[in-house]
Amino acid sequence: DQQVKQNSPSLSVQEGRISILNCDYTNSMFDYFLWYKKYPAEGPTFLISISSIKDKNEDGRFTVFLNKSAKHLSLHIVPSQPGDSAVYFCAASGNQFYFGTGTSLTVIP
Amino acid sequence: EAGVAQSPRYKIIEKRQSVAFWCNPISGHATLYWYQQILGQGPKLLIQFQNNGVVDDSQLPKDRFSAERLKGVDSTLKIQPAKLEDSAVYLCASSWGQGSGNTIYFGEGSWLTVV
């Protein structure tokens, strides 16, 4: 019962362009959403979050958009940098946190 | 502020042996989590503590896995006996409280290989 899905296992983007990572969820009771970034051999690092009462949250180059009617959230990174190359996990929480399977982003210099 | 500390970082054991992982959460964080992450998958919750009490251990294979957080601070996760399919990264995480609105912070993980 995968309640949070990231359907794109990988994404390649040119440096300076926009990276868009997508995430879908099934449980309408989720009310807090987070994105984590993970480098090889390290634990996931918190990146940005959004409450269900908002539809957008921005932090520097990172913006998360939430579409509750579609049960969809996305992470926009602009401009993308080579150091952004990592695996990105989305997570949703109600009483518990549920994680997607991750999208591996490669930013090509 | 120190992050979530985990040890050991890497462990290789033979099947049927035992292993223990230790975690010290961020100071003041009441909620502590152990996740299992298998290659290519997202983290899966094994057990969640609130202070020294278990909140959720529904996905913990209790015939072989055990965890404790006796004093409500650091925690130990044990696997005995280990199986090949236990090869994974064991992530400890913590948060101020439980439930929605809390952000969880992960340690660097303990990488287990069972041969």
Side-chain angles (χ1 to χ4, degrees), chain B residues 92-108:
Chain B
C92 181
S94 69
S95 62
W96 283 108
Q98 58 178 335
S100 182
N102 281 283
T103 298
I104 60 174
Y105 297 90
F106 288 91
E108 294 198 320

Side-chain angles (χ1 to χ4, degrees), chain A residues 2 30-32 34 36 38 40-46 49 89 93-102, chain B residues 9-10 33 35 37 40-43 45 48 56 59 91 99-109 111:
Chain A
Q2 191 72 21
F30 290 148
D31 58 4
Y32 188 58
L34 310 93
Y36 289 82
K38 185 181 181 304
E42 295 184 10
T45 302
F46 170 69
S49 62
F89 292 95
S93 82
N95 292 325
Q96 187 187 120
F97 288 86
Y98 295 88
F99 287 84
T101 52
Chain B
R9 287 296 313 279
Y10 305 96
Y33 314 77
Y35 283 87
Q37 185 172 21
Q41 299 181 18
L45 180 69
Q48 177 181 337
D56 185 348
Q59 298 191 83
L91 295 163
S100 182
N102 281 283
T103 298
I104 60 174
Y105 297 90
F106 288 91
E108 294 198 320
W111 298 67

Side-chain angles (χ1 to χ4, degrees), chain A residues 82-94:
Chain A
D84 296 329
S85 297
V87 177
Y88 290 79
F89 292 95
C90 66
S93 82

Side-chain angles (χ1 to χ4, degrees), chain A residues 73-85:
Chain A
L73 67 156
S74 61
L75 174 69
H76 292 208
I77 307 173
V78 56
S80 300
Q81 300 174 354
D84 296 329
S85 297

Side-chain angles (χ1 to χ4, degrees), chain A residues 2-40:
Chain A
Q2 191 72 21
Q3 299 200 45
V4 177
K5 297 180 182 179
Q6 294 178 256
N7 292 317
S8 298
S10 62
L11 174 69
S12 291
V13 171
Q14 287 289 132
E15 180 179 4
R17 307 292 287 268
I18 185 171
S19 295
I20 300 176
L21 296 98
N22 294 303
C23 180
D24 297 295
Y25 60 96
T26 58
N27 191 337
S28 58
M29 298 301 291
F30 290 148
D31 58 4
Y32 188 58
F33 304 88
L34 310 93
W35 284 94
Y36 289 82
K37 175 180 178 179
K38 185 181 181 304
Y39 291 119

Side-chain angles (χ1 to χ4, degrees), chain B residues 36 61 64-65 79 81-90 112 114:
Chain B
Q36 180 193 59
R64 298 182 302 104
F65 286 65
I79 307 174
K83 291 185 175 181
L84 296 177
E85 58 261 36
D86 298 332
S87 295
V89 181
Y90 291 86
L112 175 66
V114 182

